[in-house]
């Protein structure tokens, strides 16, 4: 990918742009200087379809001037604004800078509202209807794409309305930390540590038995001997550990799919889930309100 981000490409694009403008000016100059020797009837001698003759009528002056103005405008624009590769232009304008100006203007407009929420504890904030209305909009804009509009998640995306938290206790502090820093949950492929393909399937049935799910009891008893490869993260009792982010395998919550095949796939291929940090998009005040809203989702009662 480094080949597509090197300085060559911005020089390449800038060169093509500049040469194209110069060629337009050159062709206009050539067209203005070229004189066609016309016949007595002011035709060029070109005939199509037997009787369709080309007249030697030049472009109207105003039309030619428009072409010239376009070339001059393009050069002036390229001098003032970003057009030639990475050059920012004399005015130093950028789309990111414009975005920052508009964002700061919008944040200034809502500053009095967030100032009211700033000193409130997240649990108290969760009782404020106005704050929760703001939190809902923030959730819909930044979280619903993955966790769903109802916050119940989907395969691979956690349900935020239950009390099942992989990396912590679901406290406002943990939720705030997760929003700010993001989170990465990794389960390495474990098939080699478990043994043969049959051992993996036996272990899958043992995992199913932990939650009381339908399973083959014979396979499960054989798979119990292989549980040691999983206990380091999921615990000897299979209830998981917040410190490792390992899920509880004794409940009925299956983030990456339920059943023998889903478990076998997880053991053989591992899992890598990433929640990106949101502090690059949200301000501390917005994160504070969003924290209270997400906490309330799993503590509505």
């Amino acid at each position: 990918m480094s080949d597509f981000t090197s300085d060559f490409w911005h020089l390449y694009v800038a060169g093509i742009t500049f040469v194209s403008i110069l060629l337009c000016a050159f062709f206009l100059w050539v067209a203005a200087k070229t004189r066609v020797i016309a016949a007595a009837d002011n035709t060029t001698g070109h005939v199509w379809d037997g009787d369709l003759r080309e007249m030697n009528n030049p472009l109207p002056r105003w039309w030619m001037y428009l072409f010239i103005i376009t070339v001059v405008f393009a050069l002036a624009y390229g001098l003032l604004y970003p057009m030639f590769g990475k050059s920012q232009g004399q005015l130093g304008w950028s789309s990111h800078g414009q975005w920052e100006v508009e964002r700061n203007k919008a944040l200034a407009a809502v500053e009095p509202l967030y100032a009211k929420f700033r000193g409130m504890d997240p649990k108290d904030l969760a009782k404020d209807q106005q704050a929760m209305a703001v939190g809902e909009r923030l959730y819909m804009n930044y979280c619903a794409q993955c966790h769903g509009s109802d916050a119940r998640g989907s395969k691979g995306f956690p349900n935020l309305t239950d009390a099942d938290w992989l990396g912590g206790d679901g406290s406002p502090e943990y939720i705030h930390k997760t929003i700010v820093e993001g989170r990465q949950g990794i389960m390495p492929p474990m098939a080699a540590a478990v043994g043969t393909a049959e051992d993996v399937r036996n272990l899958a049935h043992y995992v199913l038995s932990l939650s009381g799910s339908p399973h083959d009891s014979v396979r499960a008893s054989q798979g119990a001997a292989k549980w040691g490869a999983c206990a380091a993260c999921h615990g000897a009792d299979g209830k998981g550990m917040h410190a490792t982010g390992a899920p509880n395998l004794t409940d009925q919550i299956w983030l990456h799919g339920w059943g023998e095949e889903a478990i076998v796939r997880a053991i053989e291929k591992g899992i890598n889930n990433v929640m990106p940090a949101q502090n690059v998009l949200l301000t501390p005040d917005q994160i504070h309100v969003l924290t209270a809203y997400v906490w309330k989702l799993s503590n509505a009662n």
Side-chain angles (χ1 to χ4, degrees):
M1 288 300 293
S2 60
D3 293 340
F4 295 96
T5 57
S6 68
D7 283 345
F8 165 78
W9 291 107
H10 91 87
L11 294 173
Y12 175 77
V13 172
I16 289 180
T17 303
F18 187 67
V19 169
S20 298
I21 294 173
L22 292 183
L23 284 175
C24 288
F26 173 74
F27 290 137
L28 286 172
W29 179 80
V30 170
K33 293 296 184 181
T34 301
R35 295 290 182 267
V36 177
I37 300 176
D41 60 354
N42 195 37
T43 60
T44 63
H46 297 156
V47 181
W48 290 270
D49 296 332
D51 59 354
L52 183 61
R53 300 175 183 277
E54 180 184 21
M55 301 295 292
N56 182 33
N57 292 329
L59 285 174
R61 288 288 183 182
W62 65 268
W63 200 338
M64 182 66 75
Y65 291 151
L66 284 179
F67 280 126
I68 296 173
I69 291 173
T70 300
V71 172
V72 173
F73 174 82
L75 291 172
Y77 186 93
L79 178 66
L80 297 175
Y81 291 95
M83 187 172 80
F84 297 113
K86 292 196 298 186
S87 171
Q88 291 296 306
Q90 294 299 309
L91 297 181
W93 183 92
S94 69
S95 58
H96 181 75
Q98 183 69 26
W99 172 80
E100 283 190 332
V101 169
E102 295 180 4
R103 180 172 184 265
N104 291 336
K105 183 179 179 180
L107 290 176
V110 297
E111 167 61 22
L113 177 64
Y114 282 108
K116 171 187 173 183
F117 305 142
R118 197 169 294 150
M120 297 177 64
D121 183 271
K123 294 183 179 180
D124 294 331
L125 202 57
K127 302 174 185 177
D128 189 297
Q129 291 185 354
Q130 187 180 30
M132 291 302 93
V134 174
E136 181 181 18
R137 298 323 305 164
L138 290 172
Y139 175 86
M140 288 299 179
N141 287 334
Y142 297 99
C143 312
Q145 294 86 344
C146 293
H147 295 283
S149 60
D150 59 358
R152 295 185 180 279
S154 61
K155 186 177 180 180
F157 301 100
N159 180 351
L160 301 180
T161 66
D162 57 23
D164 187 61
W165 299 91
L166 294 178
D169 57 1
S171 65
E173 293 74 21
Y174 169 72
I175 295 171
H176 183 276
K177 182 176 184 291
T178 303
I179 295 174
V180 171
E181 300 177 3
R183 188 175 179 279
Q184 184 170 13
I186 299 175
M187 172 181 167
M190 298 296 295
V194 171
T196 66
E198 279 300 300
D199 290 332
V200 169
R201 292 204 169 270
N202 291 340
L203 178 58
H205 281 273
Y206 178 73
V207 171
L208 288 171
S209 72
L210 292 175
S211 60
S213 300
H215 62 280
D216 185 317
S217 58
V218 175
R219 279 185 175 273
S221 62
Q222 294 172 342
K226 300 295 182 178
W227 175 249
C230 312
C233 292
H234 293 280
D237 56 2
K239 292 184 179 296
M241 289 189 285
H242 287 158
T244 61
N248 181 356
L249 301 179
T250 67
D251 57 23
Q252 294 295 326
I253 299 174
W254 301 90
L255 181 58
H256 296 280
W258 173 86
E260 177 185 349
E261 295 304 323
I263 298 173
V264 167
R265 183 167 57 250
I267 296 172
E268 290 180 342
K269 298 183 179 180
I271 294 170
N272 187 4
N273 251 27
V274 178
M275 172 186 165
Q278 298 297 310
N279 61 339
V280 295
L281 298 174
L282 298 169
T283 67
D285 287 335
Q286 290 174 325
I287 291 174
H288 180 56
V289 175
L290 184 57
T291 295
Y293 180 78
V294 174
W295 178 83
K296 183 179 181 180
L297 290 173
S298 59
N299 293 272
N301 299 321

